Amino acid sequence: MDTPENLKELVREKYSQIALQDRTTNATSCCGATGCGEPVYNIMAEDYATESGYVPEADLGLGCGIPTQHAGIEPGMTVLDLGSGAGNDVFVARQLVGPNGKVLGVDFTPAMVAKARQNADTLGYNNVEFREGDIEHLPIGGGTIDTVVSNCVLNLVPNKAQAFAEIFRVLKPGGHFCISDIVLVGELPAAIRQAAEFYAGCVSGAQQEADYLAIVREAGFEGLEVRVRREIHIPDAILAEVLDGPALQAFRSSGTGIFSITLRATKPKACCGPDCC
């Protein structure tokens, strides 16, 4: 039986392998770390090439949106990227915060943190920082962050309620997050959920869209809105690795949808007096 710690170790192992490969290599495999033909990760990724501050060497093609486009990042802000990988979204956010701002990246895969730090050193960036840590227990002080971004990572966190509680904790009152992630409409077949490659590829770890949004609201956020919603199509050649012909056909006709959503919500401002709450 998979436990939260087992799932975390699975993700750490997969992403440690991916950290040692470039984007081109990752794009030729189904889960970034194997040689099974078509990509799972990369069929979800958006094109960052036109984003100011984009660093190709930091883009491993592991995202499912571009959260920095909708995050309202302004000069001077302190931004936190959850699951920062090789630094892709951190470097884009750095361009937006300017020289007086700061961007922190947290990732729990040591190889990814090392790769991101190497990229930052090569580029000579001194207002970015990468920390090794667990999203469920962030190594960040409370009330210190203006904006949190994350790109196709919270799927990989077993306790999503705890993750959003941590996001709420580290944000300043009035601060907000903008997250791109994978959600479901309908139930995935058990064979997909049990496949390690699909978990590490952000698919079998996905929650129902309604449940995901409910977790955000229950964490205390307000003004929740879905800025982007895009359906993800997984090719038959990938699904055939875990589903036989009839099961694959049944899945296609089931109405189950896999979607990338980019959502944004705000932490309420602090109470200013006896009548404001």
Side-chain angles (χ1 to χ4, degrees):
M1 179 178 179
D2 285 329
T3 66
E5 288 308 312
N6 288 341
L7 292 174
K8 287 181 180 181
E9 187 56 34
L10 163 67
V11 172
R12 185 179 284 111
E13 290 176 1
K14 290 289 183 183
Y15 281 80
S16 293
Q17 293 174 335
I18 293 168
L20 302 178
Q21 302 171 167
D22 59 23
R23 193 182 197 278
T24 301
T25 302
N26 289 332
T28 62
S29 63
C30 73
C31 51
T34 68
C36 45
E38 296 187 63
V40 166
Y41 296 132
N42 301 90
I43 60 176
M44 301 177 189
E46 295 275 22
D47 185 4
Y48 271 77
T50 60
E51 297 298 301
S52 183
Y54 174 62
V55 177
E57 293 76 13
D59 183 6
L60 300 179
L62 304 178
C64 59
I66 307 181
T68 49
Q69 285 185 343
H70 306 275
I73 298 172
E74 298 178 358
M77 279 186 168
T78 299
V79 176
L80 170 64
D81 179 24
L82 302 181
S84 48
N88 188 37
D89 287 290
V90 167
F91 298 141
V92 173
R94 173 191 174 275
Q95 183 73 19
L96 297 171
V97 301
N100 296 322
K102 183 174 183 179
V103 187
L104 305 174
V106 171
D107 201 291
F108 86 149
T109 304
M112 283 292 189
V113 174
K115 187 163 190 168
R117 288 172 175 168
Q118 181 181 15
N119 285 334
D121 288 345
T122 299
L123 294 163
Y125 292 164
N126 58 13
N127 63 337
V128 301
E129 179 184 347
F130 296 94
R131 300 179 186 178
E132 183 180 338
D134 190 328
I135 292 175
E136 294 177 8
H137 305 283
L138 287 170
I140 305 291
T144 58
I145 303 297
D146 294 298
T147 303
V148 171
V149 296
S150 185
N151 197 349
C152 213
V153 171
L154 294 187
N155 278 280
L156 307 175
V157 178
N159 190 339
K160 294 172 181 59
Q162 176 63 22
F164 277 104
E166 279 291 272
I167 294 170
F168 192 92
R169 179 184 67 82
V170 302
L171 279 170
K172 298 176 181 178
H176 62 273
F177 73 75
C178 189
I179 290 173
S180 296
D181 220 340
I182 297 296
V183 296
L184 301 176
V185 175
E187 291 295 331
L188 283 177
I192 293 180
R193 285 201 174 274
Q194 292 165 5
E197 290 80 6
F198 280 92
Y199 191 91
C202 299
V203 177
S204 73
Q207 278 194 311
Q208 294 296 313
E209 182 174 8
D211 294 340
Y212 192 107
L213 299 180
I215 288 173
V216 175
R217 295 187 181 97
E218 289 166 6
F221 291 99
E222 62 184 16
L224 174 62
E225 56 181 330
V226 176
R227 293 292 185 93
V228 180
R229 190 173 188 269
R230 175 173 61 93
E231 187 167 9
I232 303 295
H233 177 78
I234 299 178
D236 287 352
I238 294 174
L239 293 175
E241 295 289 326
V242 295
L243 299 176
D244 61 22
L248 176 53
Q249 188 174 25
F251 172 69
R252 288 296 189 206
S253 61
S254 68
T256 296
I258 301 169
F259 293 86
S260 164
I261 61 172
T262 297
L263 61 156
R264 177 171 164 169
T266 301
K267 178 177 178 177
K269 293 183 178 180
C271 186
C272 56
D275 299 322
C276 68
C277 295

